Amino acid sequence: MRLLVFGSGIGSNFQAIHRSILKNELDAEVVAVISDVHDAAIIEYAKNNDIDTIVVDNSGKERHEYERLIIDNIHDLNYDLVILAGYMRILSSEFIRSLKMPILNIHPSILPSFPGLNAQKQAFEYGVKITGCTVHLVNEIVDGGKILAQRCVEVKNNDTVDSLSARILEQEHIIYTKTIREIIQGKITLNMQKI
Ligand code: GAR
C-alpha cells in the first residue's frame, strides 16, 4: 500500500509507522511526506530516511490557495491511502474530495469527546478518569469521521497534561500502525460512502 503522509510537527506517529515498514511488519511504502512547516521534525526525519518531502508554506495564503498548491504538488503521485500524522490544519471538503483516496487521522482523545486542538488538555481539565486515542476516517466535520479504532488510557491522580499526553502518545503509535496493517490485510474495509 502506498502511503501519502501529512504532518506539521514531530512526527512520532509517522516514525512509528515507518519503523514498522522497515521491520517488514507493515507491507507499505511512503510516497511522500507533506508539511506546512518547513523545519518540522517530520520533514527532517523523512529527509534523513530518503523519503520525498513536499513543503507548502501557508503563511499569507487563503486556505483554498494553499490547498490548491498542495493538489498541484501531489497531482502526479500514486498513492492508496492518506495518513494525517499530527497535521494541524483543517481540510476543506473540496480538498478531501480532491484527494480521492481515504484519509486517516489519529486524534488524542476518545472521540466524539474532546475534538479539536489540545484534546489531552481538554480531557485533563474536564476531569475524566479515562481518555485515550482514536483512529478515524476524515470527513468534512473536524474529528467527526467514522471511527476505526480506539485505545483507552487511565488518568492517574498524579498526572499532568504532559505525563498523560506521553502515555496517550505511546498508545497512538501502537493503534495507528495496527489500524493501517488491518486495512492492508483487508480486516478493516474502508467504505468511502460511510465516512
Ligand atoms: C499526536 O498526539 C496526534 O494525536 C495529535 O498531534 C500529535 C502529533 O504528534 N493530533 C491532533 O491533535 C490532531 N487533531 P506526532 O507529530 O509526534 O505524531
Side-chain angles (χ1 to χ4, degrees):
M1 184 157 294
R2 288 158 304 189
L3 310 179
L4 184 61
V5 177
F6 285 70
S8 306
I10 293 171
S12 70
N13 275 289
F14 169 59
Q15 290 181 29
I17 292 164
H18 186 246
R19 275 197 300 273
S20 293
I21 294 174
L22 294 180
K23 285 195 264 174
N24 291 320
E25 292 169 1
L26 209 52
D27 186 11
E29 64 180 281
V30 181
V31 175
V33 174
I34 299 168
S35 187
D36 52 334
V37 182
H38 72 91
D39 58 353
I42 192 170
I43 289 294
E44 194 184 334
Y45 175 87
K47 284 182 176 163
N48 289 340
N49 285 275
D50 291 325
I51 297 166
D52 285 347
T53 58
I54 298 168
V55 178
V56 179
D57 187 352
N58 69 300
S59 50
K61 295 184 186 72
E62 298 283 339
R63 183 164 75 171
H64 72 273
E65 185 191 350
Y66 168 75
E67 290 183 340
R68 170 51 50 203
L69 283 171
I70 294 179
I71 293 295
D72 291 347
N73 271 280
I74 65 175
H75 190 258
D76 295 331
L77 297 182
N78 221 343
Y79 57 92
D80 310 299
L81 191 61
V82 178
I83 303 289
L84 304 187
Y87 188 59
M88 293 309 192
R89 304 196 62 78
I90 294 171
L91 312 183
S92 72
S93 39
E94 294 75 25
F95 186 70
I96 291 168
R97 271 198 299 277
S98 64
L99 287 179
K100 295 199 174 68
M101 294 299 164
I103 307 168
L104 258 53
N105 184 40
I106 181 103
H107 183 76
S109 76
I110 298 290
L111 291 171
S113 294
F114 312 117
L117 289 177
N118 302 317
Q120 307 96 323
K121 185 165 181 271
Q122 290 184 54
F124 185 80
E125 289 181 349
Y126 194 93
V128 296
K129 300 297 178 199
I130 302 276
T131 182
C133 49
T134 303
V135 179
H136 65 94
L137 282 166
V138 173
N139 65 9
E140 65 284 351
I141 300 162
V142 175
D143 300 322
K146 184 178 191 250
I147 290 171
L148 300 178
Q150 293 185 308
R151 260 179 119 116
C152 290
V153 173
E154 198 174 338
V155 182
K156 296 181 179 166
N157 286 339
N158 59 352
D159 257 333
T160 61
V161 174
D162 286 347
S163 63
L164 177 62
S165 302
R167 287 206 313 290
I168 294 173
L169 195 58
E170 281 173 19
Q171 297 305 315
E172 292 183 37
H173 297 166
I174 296 167
I175 199 180
Y176 215 179
T177 307
K178 182 169 183 277
T179 305
I180 296 167
R181 185 181 306 112
E182 290 181 355
I183 291 168
I184 293 169
Q185 293 171 340
K187 291 181 184 166
I188 296 176
T189 44
L190 301 179
N191 181 350
M192 290 296 281
Q193 305 311 310
K194 282 195 183 170
I195 67 170

